[in-house]
Amino acid sequence: MPAPSYSVALETPASEPVALAPVAVEEPTRESGVYYNARLDPKNFLEGPLSPNPATRLRQMLARPGIVVAPGICDGISARCALEAGFDCLYQSGAATTASRMGQPDLAIATLNDFVGAGQMVSSLNPSVPVIADADTGFGGPAMVARTVRQYARAGIAACHIEDQVQTKRCGHLMGKQVVSREEFITRIRAAVIARDGIPGGSDFVIIGRTDSAQVLGMDEAIARLKLAAAAGADVCFIEGVKTKDLLESTVAALAPTPVLVNVISGGLTPSFTYFEAEQMGAKIIIFSLVSCVAMAHACRAAMKSLKKTGTDFISAQGMDPKKFFEVMGLNEIIELDAAAGGSAFQLV
């Protein structure tokens, strides 16, 4: 399909229009049903310094050697801890967000606004670090899927994954899942891609197609769905619940050259692969969805039991006084900013 061209006319002082030469504008195409956007071709992200734009940076990380490791975060504390540990990508888990913000299980209870609010906060802590965020089913039909992508991108999130479960979805590692038809799933992906491509200025936001059909309809159907998702414009493919090393390797081979994301949850459907192992199997992104919230549940349970038993929080504090805690939360950055701006509010803290 030839790229469209546009003629531009300028007004002269005598109001005589002057026609300029046509300017070619290369736009995404869908020849034979396969999406292609030359601007987003991975080869365009192979060289140069890492971008401060998180979506562009994630595309650079996907195009270059090495696996992208994204620990699951659930709130500001877990995000700060992940950044302190040196991770260069974060994963905003839908299950973890629902648990931390609402105290509820991952059963389609959280809304678009809940997820966007959490994502905006996390993305603001270090705006150059990409955040991959769960977007569940897109929260509705094509219009809502498009709205979801636009709001995620506006919030500073770098990528989202959209799945093929029914609207009353559940955690991908619970039993009893139901999925929509292939057609409805691909409609969701196509709506997400159209919305991304319609963002003024040319967004690099990454669309991840996720299928939960492996446990419902089998691996062959899951692979078929993700091939269709990639053809519709999904930048990355994600099969939930890959149960063995061989299945992950065959999934990567079947979906090449589209990058594959693997989700590891201790005790879940997928074995507890290390990210070194996942990289050897060919995965390009690995997320550890519940690494923070499960650890926080254990730590908080222990602290509450200790307080109930001993009458003090001295043991659970482990020597961390308020200042040390706030340092993890970015206290020193604020002190430095205040001083650089000529302030004196934090000369003594």
Side-chain angles (χ1 to χ4, degrees), residues 268-289:
L269 296 171
T270 301
S272 293
F273 299 131
T274 67
Y275 60 80
F276 306 108
E277 292 170 334
E279 183 174 15
Q280 291 175 346
M281 296 173 213
K284 189 59 187 179
I285 305 177
I286 185 169
I287 59 176
F288 296 88
S289 296

Side-chain angles (χ1 to χ4, degrees), residues 46-241:
L46 285 170
E47 298 179 354
L50 289 176
S51 172
N53 178 287
T56 306
R57 180 178 290 232
L58 180 58
R59 286 189 178 275
Q60 292 172 318
M61 293 164 71
L62 290 173
R64 301 175 188 190
I67 192 168
V68 177
V69 183
I73 51 89
C74 58
D75 59 7
I77 297 176
S78 57
R80 285 286 189 184
C81 290
L83 293 171
E84 181 185 57
F87 287 100
D88 54 11
C89 186
L90 304 177
Y91 174 62
Q92 181 181 305
S93 160
T97 301
T98 303
S100 65
R101 290 178 72 87
M102 307 176 72
Q104 298 287 341
D106 185 16
L107 299 174
I109 296 171
T111 67
L112 169 60
N113 290 344
D114 294 320
F115 280 26
V116 169
Q120 186 173 39
M121 179 273 295
V122 168
S123 298
S124 71
L125 297 179
N126 187 331
S128 292
V129 172
V131 174
I132 301 170
D134 191 345
D136 283 357
T137 61
F139 305 100
M144 274 302 294
V145 172
R147 181 168 179 256
T148 296
V149 167
R150 289 192 292 265
Q151 291 207 18
Y152 273 42
R154 192 176 299 123
I157 296 167
C160 76
H161 61 74
I162 296 173
E163 66 199 48
D164 60 354
Q165 285 197 54
V166 297
Q167 294 295 338
T168 50
K169 63 145 292 175
R170 63 191 62 194
C171 171
H173 291 253
L174 295 177
M175 299 298 103
K177 292 186 291 184
Q178 300 177 59
V179 296
V180 298
S181 67
R182 285 187 185 184
E183 293 73 19
E184 185 170 346
F185 174 46
I186 301 310
T187 296
R188 292 175 183 175
I189 299 301
R190 194 176 293 116
V193 173
I194 291 170
R196 188 269 314 286
D197 289 346
I199 294 174
S203 173
D204 288 341
F205 189 83
V206 176
I207 305 294
I208 302 170
R210 164 179 157 172
T211 182
D212 285 73
S213 61
Q215 288 74 54
V216 182
L217 303 172
M219 284 295 294
D220 288 344
E221 174 65 15
I223 294 289
R225 287 182 176 224
L226 288 184
K227 285 183 176 179
L228 290 171
D235 302 293
V236 177
C237 289
F238 171 7
I239 293 184
E240 183 66 288

